[in-house]
Amino acid sequence: MKLIPVPAFSDNYLWLWQSGTDAIVVDPGDAEPVLKALSDQKATLRTILVTHHHADHVGGVAALQAATGARVLAPAAEGLGFDHEPLSGGDQVEMLGLTVQVIDVPGHTAGHIAYWIPDSPLGPVLFCGDTLFSGGCGRIFEGTPAQMLQSLDTLAALPADTLVCCAHEYTLSNLAFAKAVEPANAALLQYDAACQAMREAGRPTLPSSIGLERLVNPFLRSRERSVVEAVQRHDPAACDDVSVFAALRGWKNHFK
Ligand code: ZN
Ligand code: FE
């Protein structure tokens, strides 16, 4: 099996997962780079998975559906302009001989879902769209901070070796913020140096893993004393789990 982050736009990854000559694509915001990757890999697209309704995640769905006849699976609770089989948390679907579990992760958008494959030849794999990024999380556009915190708690509870396939290469800018929050986090400093080297070599920093994100990602660490204290220096009114998380997200929104 091959798991390939197909780059698109300025910083999206359209994940292509291939088994033999069959392939799945996740969040194809653009059809052209996916069709090129399929022809390079001599693979046939069987299934399109969608995590949420934003254009950079769905822009290529209709064209790929028309070109390949692939099955389209997408969230039930998002407004989408293409034919699809609606999914929501707790649903389970089979593809490429694998069982895929659907997890509700509202926050970035109201109906955002993630796809978790607990048992694959590569180990457990997560496609989390714009909910969890390496070193960060998505902006809260439609949901509440409480929903986003709950969604990230659910993802953080997955097995440590779960490969995290995020939809954007935001890692270095996320880690710059993470270092402002936790300047003494040794795992974070080490990971940041490794990611800088990967980007200088022109390589993706993804997939990450849940175990690594628990060590370096401030949005999965918002109950750690070091993170709470940093947030409270920034926003003294933040006191409980949700208000600390909300203040952390607000701080990141304005961080340069
Ligand atoms: Zn988005
Ligand atoms: Fe996006």
Side-chain angles (χ1 to χ4, degrees):
M1 291 195 113
K2 273 196 260 183
L3 189 54
I4 303 166
V6 177
F9 310 118
S10 57
D11 50 35
N12 283 70
Y13 290 129
L14 321 180
W15 288 92
L16 192 71
W17 198 0
Q18 194 186 336
S19 173
T21 57
D22 291 342
I24 296 172
V25 71
V26 184
D27 284 352
D30 192 5
E32 184 273 324
V34 177
L35 291 169
K36 164 124 189 4
L38 289 165
S39 105
D40 290 348
Q41 300 293 329
K42 301 186 176 24
T44 304
L45 189 64
R46 300 294 181 194
T47 306
I48 298 169
L49 300 179
V50 172
T51 65
H52 69 292
H53 69 81
H54 286 157
D56 63 313
H57 298 253
V58 302
V61 171
L64 286 174
Q65 202 172 19
T68 66
R71 177 183 184 198
V72 181
L73 305 176
E78 301 262 282
L80 298 169
F82 46 83
D83 289 336
H84 62 279
E85 297 170 46
L87 295 177
S88 52
D91 285 344
Q92 198 161 292
V93 281
E94 307 291 321
M95 61 195 74
L96 302 187
L98 303 166
T99 299
V100 178
Q101 296 184 10
V102 179
I103 303 172
D104 281 328
V105 286
H108 178 69
T109 64
H112 199 305
I113 59 175
Y115 297 93
W116 187 52
I117 300 89
D119 186 18
S120 90
L122 306 178
V125 175
L126 174 71
F127 297 105
C128 49
D130 287 354
T131 297
L132 174 63
F133 295 124
S134 187
C137 72
R139 284 185 185 248
I140 302 170
F141 287 127
E142 296 174 9
T144 64
Q147 285 179 316
M148 190 59 146
L149 178 58
Q150 168 72 61
S151 296
L152 293 174
D153 283 345
T154 304
L155 299 183
L158 296 174
D161 61 344
T162 298
L163 295 177
V164 178
C165 301
C166 320
H168 290 272
E169 179 63 68
Y170 288 159
T171 310
L172 291 185
S173 60
N174 285 336
L175 295 180
F177 174 70
K179 286 192 293 180
V181 178
E182 286 191 290
N185 179 336
L188 168 59
L189 299 177
Q190 193 183 7
Y191 179 55
D192 182 52
C195 288
Q196 306 237 15
M198 286 188 255
R199 294 309 291 150
E200 274 160 29
R203 287 174 19 227
T205 59
L206 301 168
S208 174
S209 74
I210 289 292
L212 177 60
E213 293 306 316
R214 283 186 210 138
L215 294 176
V216 304
N217 189 325
F219 295 94
L220 300 191
R221 298 172 56 74
S222 63
R223 297 176 187 86
E224 295 287 327
R225 182 202 276 250
S226 51
V227 176
V228 173
E229 286 178 355
V231 168
Q232 288 176 338
R233 278 196 293 277
H234 203 77
D235 183 349
C239 49
D240 58 273
D241 288 358
V242 172
S243 63
V244 167
F245 179 80
L248 179 67
R249 184 59 256 185
W251 179 8
K252 169 75 164 70
N253 290 348
H254 303 289
F255 182 78
K256 289 201 172 60

